Amino acid sequence: MAGRKIGRNDPCPCGSGKKYKRCCLEVDARRAAEEMERSARGKQQFVVAETDLDDLSNSVQVLIESNDLDRAEAVCRELQENFPDQVDGIWRLATVLEARGQRPAAAQAYRQAADFMRSHPGFDRESVKDMIRSAERMDAGDDKLPL
Protein backbone atom coordinates (compact mmCIF):
# COMPACT_ATOMS: atom_id res chain seq x y z
CA MET A 1 0.00 0.00 0.00
CA ALA A 2 3.09 2.23 -0.11
CA GLY A 3 2.48 5.52 -1.89
CA ARG A 4 -1.30 5.56 -1.54
CA LYS A 5 -3.64 6.84 1.13
CA ILE A 6 -5.21 4.31 3.42
CA GLY A 7 -9.00 4.50 3.41
CA ARG A 8 -11.02 3.73 6.52
CA ASN A 9 -12.45 0.59 4.94
CA ASP A 10 -9.18 -0.65 3.40
CA PRO A 11 -7.40 -3.62 4.95
CA CYS A 12 -5.07 -2.46 7.70
CA PRO A 13 -1.47 -2.22 6.48
CA CYS A 14 -0.26 -3.90 9.69
CA GLY A 15 -1.43 -7.22 8.25
CA SER A 16 -4.03 -8.03 10.90
CA GLY A 17 -6.72 -8.72 8.31
CA LYS A 18 -9.04 -6.15 9.91
CA LYS A 19 -10.31 -2.98 8.30
CA TYR A 20 -8.06 0.01 9.00
CA LYS A 21 -10.83 1.76 10.97
CA ARG A 22 -11.14 -1.26 13.28
CA CYS A 23 -7.41 -1.67 13.78
CA CYS A 24 -4.75 1.06 13.55
CA LEU A 25 -6.78 4.16 12.57
CA GLU A 26 -7.23 5.38 16.14
CA VAL A 27 -3.53 5.05 16.94
CA ASP A 28 -2.53 6.78 13.70
CA ALA A 29 -5.10 9.54 14.22
CA ARG A 30 -3.91 10.17 17.78
CA ARG A 31 -0.32 10.29 16.57
CA ALA A 32 -1.25 12.86 13.92
CA ALA A 33 -3.15 14.96 16.49
CA GLU A 34 -0.20 14.80 18.90
CA GLU A 35 2.18 15.91 16.16
CA MET A 36 -0.11 18.86 15.41
CA GLU A 37 -0.24 19.77 19.09
CA ARG A 38 3.57 19.67 19.40
CA SER A 39 3.82 21.84 16.34
CA ALA A 40 1.38 24.37 17.77
CA ARG A 41 3.40 24.58 20.98
CA GLY A 42 6.60 25.08 19.03
CA LYS A 43 8.35 22.02 20.46
CA GLN A 44 9.37 20.86 17.00
CA GLN A 45 9.20 22.13 13.47
CA PHE A 46 6.43 20.22 11.72
CA VAL A 47 5.27 20.85 8.21
CA VAL A 48 1.87 19.43 7.35
CA ALA A 49 1.87 17.64 4.02
CA GLU A 50 -1.27 17.16 1.97
CA THR A 51 -1.07 13.42 2.53
CA ASP A 52 -1.74 14.11 6.22
CA LEU A 53 -5.12 15.71 5.53
CA ASP A 54 -7.10 12.47 5.90
CA ASP A 55 -5.25 11.44 9.06
CA LEU A 56 -5.77 14.84 10.68
CA SER A 57 -9.39 15.01 9.61
CA ASN A 58 -10.08 11.53 10.94
CA SER A 59 -8.28 12.33 14.18
CA VAL A 60 -10.99 14.89 14.95
CA GLN A 61 -13.61 12.13 15.06
CA VAL A 62 -11.39 9.98 17.26
CA LEU A 63 -10.88 12.91 19.65
CA ILE A 64 -14.64 13.58 19.74
CA GLU A 65 -15.28 9.93 20.57
CA SER A 66 -12.67 10.26 23.36
CA ASN A 67 -14.47 13.40 24.58
CA ASP A 68 -11.30 15.47 24.05
CA LEU A 69 -13.24 18.33 22.47
CA ASP A 70 -10.69 21.07 23.11
CA ARG A 71 -8.02 19.12 21.28
CA ALA A 72 -10.48 18.20 18.51
CA GLU A 73 -11.29 21.89 18.00
CA ALA A 74 -7.58 22.76 17.92
CA VAL A 75 -7.05 20.19 15.15
CA CYS A 76 -9.99 21.72 13.24
CA ARG A 77 -8.34 25.13 13.44
CA GLU A 78 -5.08 23.62 12.19
CA LEU A 79 -6.94 21.98 9.31
CA GLN A 80 -8.49 25.32 8.37
CA GLU A 81 -5.11 27.06 8.54
CA ASN A 82 -3.05 24.42 6.74
CA PHE A 83 -5.66 23.23 4.24
CA PRO A 84 -7.77 26.30 3.39
CA ASP A 85 -8.69 24.79 0.03
CA GLN A 86 -10.34 21.78 1.69
CA VAL A 87 -13.71 21.56 3.47
CA ASP A 88 -12.49 19.29 6.28
CA GLY A 89 -11.65 22.03 8.78
CA ILE A 90 -15.09 23.64 8.54
CA TRP A 91 -17.00 20.35 8.43
CA ARG A 92 -15.10 18.79 11.33
CA LEU A 93 -15.50 21.97 13.38
CA ALA A 94 -19.26 21.63 12.88
CA THR A 95 -19.09 18.12 14.34
CA VAL A 96 -17.10 19.38 17.34
CA LEU A 97 -19.63 22.16 17.96
CA GLU A 98 -22.42 19.59 17.68
CA ALA A 99 -20.66 17.36 20.23
CA ARG A 100 -20.40 20.36 22.57
CA GLY A 101 -24.15 20.91 22.23
CA GLN A 102 -23.64 24.29 20.54
CA ARG A 103 -26.39 23.72 18.01
CA PRO A 104 -26.70 27.24 16.50
CA ALA A 105 -22.94 27.45 15.95
CA ALA A 106 -22.89 23.91 14.56
CA ALA A 107 -25.73 24.76 12.15
CA GLN A 108 -23.81 27.82 10.97
CA ALA A 109 -20.64 25.76 10.43
CA TYR A 110 -22.55 23.07 8.49
CA ARG A 111 -23.96 25.83 6.26
CA GLN A 112 -20.47 27.25 5.76
CA ALA A 113 -19.31 23.78 4.72
CA ALA A 114 -22.20 23.55 2.23
CA ASP A 115 -21.33 26.99 0.82
CA PHE A 116 -17.69 25.94 0.53
CA MET A 117 -18.70 22.79 -1.35
CA ARG A 118 -20.90 24.76 -3.73
CA SER A 119 -18.06 27.15 -4.56
CA HIS A 120 -15.32 24.54 -5.05
CA PRO A 121 -15.14 21.83 -7.70
CA GLY A 122 -15.30 18.16 -6.86
CA PHE A 123 -18.28 18.01 -4.50
CA ASP A 124 -21.47 16.29 -5.54
CA ARG A 125 -24.95 17.61 -4.82
CA GLU A 126 -25.60 14.86 -2.29
CA SER A 127 -22.65 15.98 -0.14
CA VAL A 128 -23.99 19.53 -0.14
CA LYS A 129 -27.45 18.23 0.78
CA ASP A 130 -25.92 16.23 3.68
CA MET A 131 -24.42 19.42 5.11
CA ILE A 132 -27.75 21.26 4.75
CA ARG A 133 -29.62 18.39 6.42
CA SER A 134 -27.14 18.45 9.30
CA ALA A 135 -27.69 22.21 9.68
CA GLU A 136 -31.47 21.71 9.65
CA ARG A 137 -31.13 18.95 12.25
CA MET A 138 -29.21 21.39 14.48
CA ASP A 139 -31.84 24.10 13.93
CA ALA A 140 -34.64 21.68 14.81
CA GLY A 141 -32.86 20.47 17.92
CA ASP A 142 -33.91 16.95 17.02
CA ASP A 143 -31.30 14.21 16.91
CA LYS A 144 -33.89 11.91 15.34
CA LEU A 145 -34.14 13.79 12.06
CA PRO A 146 -32.53 11.75 9.25
CA LEU A 147 -28.92 12.55 8.44
Side-chain angles (χ1 to χ4, degrees), residues 7-79:
R8 292 174 52 82
N9 290 312
D10 288 341
C12 190
C14 77
S16 68
K18 297 179 183 178
K19 289 184 179 185
Y20 181 57
K21 69 182 177 185
R22 299 278 184 222
C23 192
C24 292
L25 172 65
E26 185 172 339
V27 171
D28 291 346
R30 283 192 186 279
R31 186 177 306 124
E34 287 168 3
E35 287 175 3
M36 287 299 296
E37 186 175 338
R38 277 194 300 276
S39 173
R41 290 191 319 243
K43 287 188 175 176
Q44 77 180 43
Q45 188 68 18
F46 180 77
V47 178
V48 178
E50 286 238 6
T51 56
D52 293 332
L53 173 63
D54 287 338
D55 291 339
L56 292 173
S57 184
N58 291 335
S59 75
V60 174
Q61 186 60 37
V62 172
L63 291 166
I64 289 171
E65 290 168 4
S66 301
N67 204 33
D68 194 348
L69 301 181
D70 290 338
R71 205 149 139 215
E73 186 170 344
V75 173
C76 292
R77 302 289 181 204
E78 291 291 332
L79 281 165

Side-chain angles (χ1 to χ4, degrees), residues 114-133:
D115 290 343
F116 181 99
M117 291 173 160
R118 284 187 196 108
S119 64
H120 289 75
F123 296 100
D124 60 26
R125 297 176 99 186
E126 196 56 39
S127 296
V128 174
K129 287 179 183 178
D130 286 344
M131 291 297 130
I132 297 299
R133 280 192 290 264

Side-chain angles (χ1 to χ4, degrees), residues 98-118:
E98 181 177 353
R100 288 186 189 278
Q102 297 173 338
R103 289 179 174 278
Q108 180 181 1
Y110 281 124
R111 285 190 180 86
Q112 286 175 333
D115 290 343
F116 181 99
M117 291 173 160
R118 284 187 196 108

